[in-house]
Amino acid sequence: MTFTYIFSGFAVGTLVGLTGVGGGSLMTPLLTLLFGVSPSVAVGTDLAFASITKATGTFTHRLRGTVDWQIVRLLCYGALPAALIATLGLKHFGSLNKEIGQVIRYSIAASVFLTVIALLFKSKMLNWLNNHPEKQLQGRQLQAATVAAGVLLGTLVTISSIGAGAIGATLLVMLYPRMSAAHIAGTDIAYAVPLTAIAAFGHWWLGSIDWALLGALLIGSLPGITLGSMAARAVPEKLLRGILATTLTLVATKLIF
């Protein structure tokens, strides 16, 4: 089983490297559906996994100067308190009991559907915003919307481990349509580091992290991400995103039914 976990980490890491989509939308459903890991443990383990891998990505983006730290701060103002409140809510209601496990399962499905929407319609939303500059937020309204986006992402990530990748990047594109793709990616990864770390710490407190599973996933994912990133230019992005969106739709449907 350990080899299977390592191979799964490698496969997910490769897809993340190829598509840029956060591993949570792939890893958490995989652990839940294929390996029968309880939803709460799948979420907690994936959050610990994400906090480690995203820290490495942030270091790289910082060296390249592709992180907007002001936006990171605004997102964290909303995301970090939301993560703490969501953790306390899981603690209060019992994150490991059957009923809450089912709620987490449905939350994962909803987050996967949002990821599919983000994958399919991000370019169209960006084009619409560029063609309607009067609809773009400015000043304090933009700052408030960024904090609100952080609240949404912090809640989603803590409950389902999904949201800091494709959903977060799509929200940044909608709020800051003139920001370069590199800065979108760097900023999205940077704010996710403290968010996933706090959420992972909360799940450790709740007892919902499988450390042996985490180690096996990391062993496979790190070379997978490297190879996927190297091969990304050779594979048509549109084809990859279409396949990924179809796969995630099937996964979300399976989680519900």
Side-chain angles (χ1 to χ4, degrees):
M1 184 61 73
T2 299
F3 176 79
T4 306
Y5 290 147
I6 293 173
F7 178 78
S8 299
F10 177 81
V12 170
T14 302
L15 285 173
V16 171
L18 285 169
T19 64
V21 175
S25 57
L26 297 165
M27 184 65 76
T28 305
L30 179 68
L31 293 175
T32 303
L33 294 175
L34 187 60
F35 298 120
V37 177
S38 71
S40 56
V41 173
V43 169
T45 303
D46 184 62
L47 284 169
F49 170 82
S51 66
I52 295 170
T53 55
K54 288 179 183 294
T56 304
T58 298
F59 180 74
T60 302
H61 278 282
R62 182 176 182 179
L63 291 178
R64 294 179 178 177
T66 52
V67 178
D68 189 317
W69 294 105
Q70 176 59 30
I71 297 176
V72 170
R73 282 192 290 271
L74 290 172
L75 288 169
C76 286
Y77 289 157
L80 302 188
L84 291 173
I85 293 171
T87 300
L88 292 174
L90 290 173
K91 177 66 173 178
H92 176 74
F93 292 106
S95 65
L96 299 178
N97 68 40
K98 184 176 180 180
E99 290 76 14
I100 295 301
Q102 195 66 22
V103 170
I104 294 174
R105 187 181 176 97
Y106 289 147
S107 299
I108 294 170
S111 296
V112 171
F113 274 128
L114 287 175
T115 301
V116 172
I117 293 172
L119 283 170
L120 296 178
F121 298 108
K122 184 172 71 174
S123 296
K124 292 183 179 180
M125 289 186 288
L126 179 58
N127 290 334
W128 185 86
L129 284 170
N130 286 330
N131 292 329
H132 298 83
E134 72 280 359
K135 301 294 185 180
Q136 298 176 20
L137 298 177
Q138 303 291 336
R140 291 187 177 180
Q141 286 185 328
L142 179 58
Q143 292 179 349
T146 304
V147 174
V151 172
L152 172 63
L153 292 169
T155 304
L156 278 177
V157 168
T158 304
I159 295 175
S160 70
S161 84
I162 301 170
I167 300 173
T170 300
L171 288 174
L172 285 176
V173 166
M174 294 173 64
L175 293 171
Y176 301 91
R178 296 180 182 178
M179 186 183 295
S180 70
H183 278 78
I184 289 287
T187 303
D188 185 44
I189 291 174
Y191 94 86
V193 172
L195 170 57
T196 53
I198 287 178
F201 182 82
H203 278 269
W204 169 77
W205 177 53
L206 296 172
S208 52
I209 294 180
D210 186 326
W211 295 103
L213 172 58
L214 171 62
L217 294 175
L218 287 172
I219 290 172
S221 69
L222 296 179
I225 289 173
T226 302
L227 290 175
S229 299
M230 293 171 63
R233 293 184 179 181
V235 183
E237 180 181 352
K238 187 175 181 180
L239 174 63
L240 276 174
R241 290 186 176 272
I243 294 173
L244 187 58
T246 302
T247 301
L248 291 176
T249 300
L250 295 174
V251 165
T253 303
K254 179 65 175 177
L255 283 168
I256 295 175
F257 301 105

